[in-house]
Amino acid sequence: AQTVTQSQPEMSVQEAETVTLSCTYDTSESNYYLFWYKQPPSRQMILVIRQEAYKQQNATENRFSVNFQKAAKSFSLKISDSQLGDTAMYFCAFMGPRSGSRLTFGEGTQLTVNP
Amino acid sequence: ETGVTQSPTHLIKTRGQQVTLRCSSQSGHNTVSWYQQALGQGPQFIFQYYREEENGRGNFPPRFSGLQFPNYSSELNVNALELDDSALYLCASSPDPGQVSYEQYFGPGTRLTVT
């Protein structure tokens, strides 16, 4: 079974600075998908960024980028130029090739951006 | 806005009662997944339905059951409610699992409190 671990329950950053959230996972699959989701207080789960394991290039979406280390099974999220609206719970998630869209989530990291 | 809606937003039930939660998927999405998110934790996969048939189940007892209808709506039913069933219940819709469907669209969730 796949597992996803987020070792930072809480993090804080000053507005406009950069922060990195950590995630490790365990799987025996060679091809899979990794995601970072954001859950603000409104509870709506929002996809931030995704990475396909067979792609070596790290995904980037505007201020959000990932550092995907397949051999180390590490998938960290970097948020540049942090904004107050980035304050939320962030979840790392895994989807296997035969999971039928089933997501395995980590425990989450509460990120607070301070003015 | 993901096009996925859930009802009700909140509800309170008594231990031992039964509850039905509803989800309306994004049009054209034949797959719906349900997740349970306890307070301060990541979502846990309950089960998935594809074209009205159960298509995978997580580690949840049989008193958690579901239905999916042809009109892209679905239900999560929980019998004999226990205090530990108190959680946010999320549904997520996606295209056919046979496709590369790494896109999942989450609803805003239903907050269930069991007293």
Side-chain angles (χ1 to χ4, degrees):
Chain A
Q2 289 82 17
T3 58
V4 178
T5 302
Q6 294 178 248
S7 58
Q8 306 153 313
E10 297 180 359
M11 292 194 72
S12 63
V13 64
Q14 293 299 121
E15 197 174 4
E17 294 188 344
T18 296
V19 64
T20 298
L21 309 183
S22 301
C23 172
T24 59
Y25 59 93
D26 188 26
T27 183
S28 58
E29 302 283 357
S30 59
N31 192 24
Y32 45 86
Y33 304 97
L34 294 165
F35 307 84
W36 279 98
Y37 280 90
K38 167 185 178 181
Q39 188 178 42
S42 66
R43 308 180 322 202
Q44 184 84 49
M45 196 73 78
I46 302 165
L47 178 64
V48 174
I49 198 166
R50 63 173 175 259
Q51 174 80 41
E52 294 160 34
Y54 66 87
K55 291 185 177 179
Q56 293 185 334
Q57 186 173 7
N58 289 324
T60 299
E61 289 287 343
N62 300 315
R63 299 183 294 107
F64 299 89
S65 61
V66 299
N67 183 5
F68 173 49
Q69 301 289 327
K70 191 173 184 179
K73 296 180 181 176
S74 170
F75 182 61
S76 61
L77 173 70
K78 186 172 82 171
I79 305 175
S80 304
D81 186 25
S82 297
Q83 300 175 0
L84 296 178
D86 294 334
T87 292
M89 190 71 123
Y90 286 80
F91 291 99
C92 178
F94 173 99
M95 181 188 293
R98 288 173 291 277
S99 69
S101 308
R102 168 181 181 165
L103 288 165
T104 300
F105 286 88
E107 292 298 307
T109 297
Q110 174 63 48
L111 175 67
T112 301
V113 180
N114 299 308
Chain B
E1 287 294 325
T2 63
V4 180
T5 60
Q6 290 187 245
S7 62
T9 304
H10 301 88
L11 77 164
I12 300 173
K13 289 286 189 177
T14 302
R15 189 171 52 185
Q17 287 186 319
Q18 179 266 344
V19 68
T20 297
L21 311 182
R22 294 178 173 82
C23 172
S24 180
S25 299
Q26 189 172 92
S27 180
H29 284 185
N30 291 314
T31 301
V32 64
S33 302
W34 285 90
Y35 295 83
Q36 181 195 66
Q37 186 178 13
L39 192 62
Q41 298 184 20
Q44 299 289 318
F45 175 76
I46 302 174
F47 45 56
Q48 182 183 91
Y49 277 78
Y50 171 60
R51 294 188 174 179
E52 304 165 48
E53 299 273 341
E54 189 176 292
N55 184 43
R57 188 179 186 92
N59 189 26
F60 280 82
R63 59 189 186 83
F64 286 79
S65 63
L67 286 171
Q68 186 185 27
F69 305 100
N71 65 351
Y72 304 114
S73 67
S74 60
E75 293 180 353
L76 165 65
N77 298 289
V78 187
N79 294 321
L81 283 166
E82 301 177 359
L83 296 179
D84 284 348
D85 295 334
S86 294
L88 179 68
Y89 289 85
L90 298 167
C91 77
S93 75
S94 56
D96 290 359
Q99 301 177 12
V100 181
S101 55
Y102 39 68
E103 291 285 356
Q104 288 216 45
Y105 298 85
F106 281 85
T110 293
R111 171 74 66 190
L112 172 65
T113 302
V114 182
T115 62

